[in-house]
Amino acid sequence: MSTDEIENVEAFRQRARAWIHENLRPVGPVALSLRRERSDEQELVAVARDREVQRMLFDAGLAGICIPPEYGGQGLTPDHQQALNDELAGYEFAMRLQVPTFTPCLAVLLEFGTEDQRRRHIPAILKGEEIWMQLLSEPSGGSDVAGALTSAVRDGDEWILNGSKVWTTGAWWSDWGLCLARTNWDVPKHRGLTVFLLPIHEPGVEVRRIEMLNGNKEFCQEFLSDVRVPDTDRVGDIDEGWTVGTGWMFHERMLYNSPLVTVPTGTTRGSASSSSALDVARDAGRLADPTVRDLIGEARMLDVVGEELQRRIGDGIATQTMSGETSAIGRVFVGVVAARRMTIQFEIAGAAGAAWSDDDGELTHCGTDFLMRQTSCIGGGTIEMARNVISERVLGMPRERTLDRDVAFRDVPRASSR
């Protein structure tokens, strides 16, 4: 499709608005939170509804806005995606299909997958038929994903995977995953990795859910025991998985700033926003307190700065006036600010942050949100790793000194052995 044939953004906005008002349910303010708010049964119903909404968007020509038409997308621009995000404000959307399904997983398929892999999976994702997750972090490695111990051994036209991954979002109701595995132990750690596509319900894959401090069981740990994967499900060249992984982590840092993601404008990341701070102050009866009003103002300022920063970074990367590594700045800001927002609410709640009852309204979340606040600085790659990216690849400062850079991975000392 030539540029002249692309639907005008305003015409697209009008079309999207009319369809959304006619077909989707209005909802209140939406927060992408880690609170435990549903039973397992309710969560599965919500997942099914997300798949249904995604299919409705696909049938209406409103799914995969920036994805090429040959893979089922619309072949439009980030401006069209922003128009859709604006019009979706106040309406339901396929929340669970955005991250990590659309980014980083679909983004990695689009950038590094084979033509067969793209045509097999991307249309299915756009229709809500496949939900993906990332099998990246390991119990022994944290954010040092290049130190993966999960192994993949070639056996004819197949690979046999063994090991364990952890902190995978929603694995218990997902369908597929991207898996980073070690295929060569005789080279430095960054040179012996390969990426595979892995069906979650494959024999040999055991999924265990992790209960966090606030009762949420969204995250899981997977145990891979002699899981067979065909070589046709390998992404990229053998032992060149770090090249894929670098792009993978770029897309992960983009998160909700990615033009591949559909999230209504105004949706908050984490469990708190300036409007939440206002609600907490109202339920605490402290709206007239000058100190509390200052805190509400700070929360609002963080919202405004965050939205503008993400918009500027997204525009800069899209127009190539900023490098892709600049996304790490947004990653650090989102993590630090989310933690600060939760602290603000805790400070406003006062004593109710330590002891509350079920009829305390917004106050009931402040205590556990405060205890969980550091998850925003850890999930999706720690902000310490993002700070390294900023210093080394954005500012051009010297690389961090490491002792294992030129050492065969099998000779690198570690607490656990394979």
Side-chain angles (χ1 to χ4, degrees), residues 157-161 196-198 227-231 233-234:
D157 292 332
E158 295 182 323
W159 293 82
I160 302 174
L161 275 62
F196 298 91
L197 312 180
L198 184 69
V227 179
R228 288 188 169 270
V229 175
D231 188 56
D233 280 348
R234 170 170 50 82

Side-chain angles (χ1 to χ4, degrees), residues 156-353:
D157 292 332
E158 295 182 323
W159 293 82
I160 302 174
L161 275 62
N162 283 282
S164 180
K165 298 290 183 177
V166 73
W167 303 120
T168 45
T169 306
W172 65 287
W173 42 252
S174 294
D175 307 297
W176 282 82
L178 281 176
C179 182
L180 182 71
R182 183 157 303 282
T183 46
N184 191 336
W185 298 77
D186 296 319
V187 294
K189 65 179 182 181
H190 291 87
R191 302 178 195 165
L193 299 164
T194 307
V195 175
F196 298 91
L197 312 180
L198 184 69
I200 302 307
H201 304 296
E202 187 79 354
V205 181
E206 179 186 357
V207 178
R208 296 182 189 174
R209 299 170 65 185
I210 300 170
E211 183 171 3
M212 297 193 294
L213 178 149
N214 62 355
N216 183 289
K217 294 183 180 178
E218 179 185 12
F219 294 107
C220 302
Q221 181 172 0
E222 296 74 38
F223 297 88
L224 311 181
S225 302
D226 294 330
V227 179
R228 288 188 169 270
V229 175
D231 188 56
T232 52
D233 280 348
R234 170 170 50 82
V235 181
D237 294 333
I238 298 171
D239 294 346
E240 296 295 332
W242 192 244
T243 300
V244 180
T246 301
W248 181 344
M249 282 174 272
F250 159 70
H251 293 297
E252 185 182 46
R253 287 193 296 272
M254 289 289 284
L255 284 179
Y256 299 101
N257 198 40
S258 169
L260 300 179
V261 168
T262 297
V263 176
T265 300
T267 301
T268 59
R269 285 67 160 163
S271 301
S273 68
S274 58
S275 59
S276 299
L278 186 64
D279 292 338
V280 170
R282 182 180 294 113
D283 289 351
R286 300 187 64 190
L287 277 176
D289 186 328
T291 302
V292 169
R293 296 172 77 90
D294 283 348
L295 290 171
I296 295 172
E298 180 186 348
R300 177 56 184 158
M301 178 271 295
L302 293 173
D303 283 349
V304 172
V305 172
E307 290 171 4
E308 292 306 312
L309 176 65
Q310 298 296 349
R311 189 186 303 277
R312 181 174 180 184
I313 292 173
D315 290 347
I317 293 175
T319 57
Q320 299 184 339
T321 56
M322 295 181 182
S323 72
E325 308 300 351
T326 311
S327 62
I329 297 174
R331 167 69 189 98
V332 171
F333 189 87
V334 167
V336 172
V337 165
R340 177 57 189 156
R341 285 201 198 103
M342 294 175 201
T343 302
I344 287 173
Q345 292 195 20
F346 183 74
E347 292 174 359
I348 294 174

Side-chain angles (χ1 to χ4, degrees), residues 23-152:
N23 292 280
L24 297 183
R25 302 167 183 166
V27 296
V30 176
L32 303 170
S33 76
L34 294 177
R35 291 171 178 164
R36 179 176 174 80
E37 297 173 328
R38 296 183 176 86
S39 67
D40 287 355
E41 292 74 17
Q42 291 171 326
E43 182 68 7
L44 291 176
V45 169
V47 171
R49 177 59 181 170
D50 278 2
R51 290 183 190 266
E52 183 180 9
V53 168
Q54 184 61 39
R55 180 61 197 231
M56 292 166 65
L57 288 166
F58 179 84
D59 291 341
L62 296 173
I65 301 301
C66 297
I67 293 172
E70 58 265 37
Y71 307 126
Q74 304 305 312
L76 298 175
T77 70
D79 288 341
H80 291 82
Q81 181 65 62
Q82 185 58 52
L84 177 61
N85 291 347
D86 292 342
E87 296 305 321
L88 276 170
Y91 287 86
E92 63 179 338
F93 71 108
M95 181 170 66
R96 292 160 190 77
L97 271 66
Q98 304 308 316
V99 176
T101 298
F102 278 88
T103 191
C105 294
L106 183 149
V108 169
L109 281 173
L110 200 57
E111 185 173 356
F112 298 100
T114 65
E115 190 63 14
D116 174 70
Q117 290 166 355
R118 293 172 185 157
R119 291 183 182 275
R120 184 158 42 114
H121 292 292
I122 293 179
I125 290 173
L126 296 183
K127 295 174 184 174
E129 296 170 354
E130 293 183 4
I131 300 179
W132 283 61
M133 61 174 185
Q134 43 183 345
L135 295 161
L136 195 59
S137 297
E138 297 192 359
S140 62
S143 290
D144 181 20
V145 295
L149 297 176
T150 293
S151 66

